Amino acid sequence: MSSLPVLLAAASPSPSPTETVPAVPTIQDAQESASQAASWVEQNWSTWLAIGLRVLLIVVIAAVLRVVVRRAITKLIDRMNRTAQAVDGTAIGGLLVNVERRRQRSQAIGSVLRSVASFLILGTGALMVLSTFEINLAPLLASAGVAGVAIGFGARNLVTDFLSGVFMILEDQYGVGDQIDAGVASGEVVEVGLRVTKLRGVNGEIWYVRNGEVKRVGNLSQGWATAGVDVTVRTTEDLHRVKTLLNEVGEKMSKEEPWNELLWGPVEVLGLDSVLLDSMVVRVSAKTMPGKALTIERELRWRIKQAFDSEGIRIIGGLPAQVEIDEEDPTAGMSAPSAFSNSSSPQSAAASPLERPSTTK
């Protein structure tokens, strides 16, 4: 048993003369390291504190500014809605867009403005925080600029659609429920977005129209509409009688429900629109609520036809009736086929000239 330590000592490698044994840290070395760390902290704590306070101040200012701007935008939108409710139901309110339409438009504008304000304020605050840490923002801004240019070229149609949608909402070119003609498609506006406008056509189809593709818009639902009816009578009718009867029909219609609300002006007889050899056209017009012109025209035609029938005035127009003619047999004027037309018939053979016999030398 006494030889085991000797064997272990012989098996363990002995350090070479060139190798150095690491020194064990002493208490004095630890004190020196602690004093150096304390002195470094003492030298830089003021800088850290200044940076932290500056970052905190930037964050607080950005947050407060964002809240103030968003509240200001919300109050502005509420004031617009109150103004719309104040004029609703008045004489001037009929010419303006209804309250619900203005509310939807103002909410869309407010949402866009709040998003843009938040992006600008928070983005500026983030850049200021990075500059506080003495980070060079030139490469970052240059990279963002290059990326923005690349995205702009690649998604220029998307940017065009978005900007067109923003200006369309700000200018109130059309809204949900309007009848519009957008050039590429026409119909009733179902949904208005910043990139795409959804229309429902006359056959029930849905059209998705990109806002950037709309070059001109014809809105048939804003302001007021005009209902026009052409009454065609014979040239022998008394024009004063016809005009008096049309005025009576228009005046009676404007006093009855619900036509008195749909008519925004008196039914006027504009006069003769055209005079032909056997007919003349009298033009009747009225200013109506947007989108109700076709309804007023149908009711006017109905009442005018009843009034003229009761007074014995005949309304004419259209193409004259076509007289049906019996179709003749195209072969009626043709003679019967001749027997000589058939080359194999006996008559044709008898009428054929005789062949001369050939002479041989």
Side-chain angles (χ1 to χ4, degrees):
M1 294 299 294
S2 60
S3 62
L4 182 59
V6 177
L7 294 175
L8 293 175
S12 61
S14 60
S16 61
T18 58
E19 293 181 358
T20 58
V21 179
V24 179
T26 60
I27 297 177
Q28 185 177 1
D29 295 336
Q31 290 178 353
E32 291 180 357
S33 300
S35 60
Q36 290 177 0
S39 62
W40 183 77
V41 171
E42 184 179 0
Q43 292 175 1
N44 296 286
W45 74 270
S46 58
T47 305
W48 295 347
L49 181 60
I51 293 175
L53 292 177
R54 190 178 303 174
V55 170
L56 180 61
L57 181 62
I58 292 173
V59 172
V60 171
I61 292 177
V64 172
L65 184 60
R66 179 174 177 269
V67 172
V68 171
V69 172
R70 289 175 66 90
R71 286 187 178 180
I73 294 174
T74 302
K75 289 184 179 180
L76 178 62
I77 299 303
D78 293 340
R79 183 175 299 178
M80 292 173 58
N81 291 333
R82 288 197 300 269
T83 304
Q85 293 176 1
V87 300
D88 183 49
T90 61
I92 192 175
L95 299 177
L96 299 177
V97 187
N98 54 26
V99 178
E100 182 65 21
R101 163 81 173 277
R102 291 178 65 93
R103 185 187 65 81
Q104 294 177 356
R105 172 172 167 258
S106 61
Q107 286 183 354
I109 295 173
S111 177
V112 172
L113 293 179
R114 283 190 291 266
S115 299
V116 171
S118 300
F119 176 77
L120 292 177
I121 294 173
L122 297 179
T124 304
L127 293 178
M128 294 178 65
V129 169
L130 292 177
S131 64
T132 303
F133 288 102
E134 298 181 356
I135 297 176
N136 189 9
L137 299 179
L140 179 61
L141 296 178
S143 302
V146 173
V149 172
I151 293 175
F153 277 108
R156 57 185 181 274
N157 291 332
L158 181 62
V159 175
T160 303
D161 297 339
F162 180 80
L163 293 179
S164 299
V166 171
F167 283 106
M168 181 271 299
I169 293 176
L170 292 176
E171 297 171 0
D172 193 21
Q173 297 178 6
Y174 52 83
V176 176
D178 288 353
Q179 290 285 341
I180 68 170
D181 181 4
V184 294
S186 60
E188 181 182 356
V189 180
V190 178
E191 183 179 346
V192 178
L194 292 177
R195 192 183 68 87
V196 174
T197 297
K198 190 184 298 184
L199 303 178
R200 182 175 294 279
V202 293
N203 296 325
E205 69 275 12
I206 295 294
W207 297 97
Y208 294 89
V209 181
R210 288 169 42 201
N211 296 328
E213 292 182 350
V214 179
K215 304 302 180 184
R216 53 90 175 165
V217 177
N219 196 325
L220 307 178
S221 302
Q222 281 188 352
W224 46 269
T226 302
V229 175
D230 292 332
V231 182
T232 306
V233 296
R234 294 175 296 185
T235 54
T236 57
E237 297 291 345
D238 186 4
L239 287 178
H240 294 286
R241 182 186 176 195
V242 172
K243 183 177 181 181
T244 302
L245 192 59
L246 291 176
N247 288 329
E248 292 177 357
V249 171
E251 184 178 358
K252 182 180 179 181
M253 180 178 175
S254 61
K255 294 180 180 179
E256 296 179 0
E257 295 285 347
W259 312 111
N260 55 353
E261 296 181 358
L262 302 180
L263 287 170
W264 286 5
V267 179
E268 299 178 352
V269 181
L270 301 182
L272 281 177
D273 194 60
S274 63
V275 179
L276 303 177
L277 292 177
D278 57 348
S279 64
M280 54 185 178
V281 179
V282 182
R283 182 73 174 178
V284 181
S285 177
K287 185 181 294 186
T288 68
M289 182 183 295
K292 300 299 181 181
L294 186 59
T295 304
I296 297 297
E297 291 176 358
R298 290 170 178 170
E299 183 66 20
L300 273 176
R301 292 190 187 98
W302 184 282
R303 291 171 179 261
I304 291 173
K305 181 64 171 63
Q306 288 182 338
F308 278 25
D309 288 344
S310 62
E311 294 294 331
I313 300 177
R314 182 182 176 186
I315 298 178
I316 63 175
L319 297 176
Q322 300 292 333
V323 180
E324 295 184 359
I325 301 177
D326 295 336
E327 295 183 358
E328 297 182 355
D329 187 4
T331 62
M334 299 175 59
S335 60
S338 174
F340 293 97
S341 62
N342 187 3
S343 59
S344 62
S345 62
Q347 293 83 356
S348 178
S352 302
L354 297 176
E355 296 182 358
R356 295 180 60 183
S358 60
T359 60
T360 59
K361 292 182 181 182

